[in-house]
Amino acid sequence: MTKIITITILFICNLMSAQNVKLTVAVSGLKNDTGNVKVGLYNSEVTFLKTIYKSLASEIKDNKAVVTFDNLPAGVYAISTYHDENSNGKLDRNAMGIPSEEYAASNNAKGFMGPPSYNDAKFTVSKDSRIEITF
């Protein structure tokens, strides 16, 4: 009986790990190599641009940056990224609240008079994937 339980648990663990994917995000079109790029991954419309599910930062080389999220559950996600030119760890804004550092979203979604919507930025990941975001 112990062998059956052990085999069943190993089989379930193997299935669960098979559902994890790798997501590579390539960012291009940055205006310079100063600072770094911050990439925020969101896993729901409710948390989009409010609570980051996972985040990574990357140095910039030749006006490009690449980050890779490992062991993600397959699902629907959206990305928001910005060029943190002064490396202060936040998206700087002017006195009116408008971002003063470059930012972009997955699917190159753009907002009208505000940030992009989750529906415009969302994408599905079901296997190891790579997405491109252009500033």
Side-chain angles (χ1 to χ4, degrees), residues 60-73:
I60 303 165
K61 184 173 181 180
D62 298 326
N63 300 356
K64 298 176 185 173
V66 177
V67 299
T68 301
F69 293 95
D70 290 314
N71 296 318
L72 286 178

Side-chain angles (χ1 to χ4, degrees), residues 48 79 103-112 114-122 133-134:
F48 185 58
I79 289 176
Y103 64 94
S106 45
N107 299 329
N108 293 314
K110 306 280 185 207
F112 178 73
S117 72
Y118 177 78
N119 286 331
D120 289 341
K122 73 180 179 179
I133 298 176
T134 304

Side-chain angles (χ1 to χ4, degrees), residues 23 37-41 52 54-58 67-70 81:
L23 175 63
V37 168
K38 302 281 189 170
V39 179
L41 183 68
I52 297 172
K54 290 190 177 199
S55 67
L56 292 172
S58 175
V67 299
T68 301
F69 293 95
D70 290 314
T81 181

Side-chain angles (χ1 to χ4, degrees), residues 92-112:
D92 294 330
R93 299 173 185 274
N94 65 20
M96 295 178 58
I98 298 170
S100 57
E101 293 178 310
E102 290 182 296
Y103 64 94
S106 45
N107 299 329
N108 293 314
K110 306 280 185 207
F112 178 73

Side-chain angles (χ1 to χ4, degrees), residues 41-59:
L41 183 68
Y42 300 86
N43 60 355
S44 77
E45 183 172 10
V46 174
T47 62
F48 185 58
L49 301 179
K50 295 177 183 96
T51 306
I52 297 172
Y53 172 62
K54 290 190 177 199
S55 67
L56 292 172
S58 175
E59 292 181 352

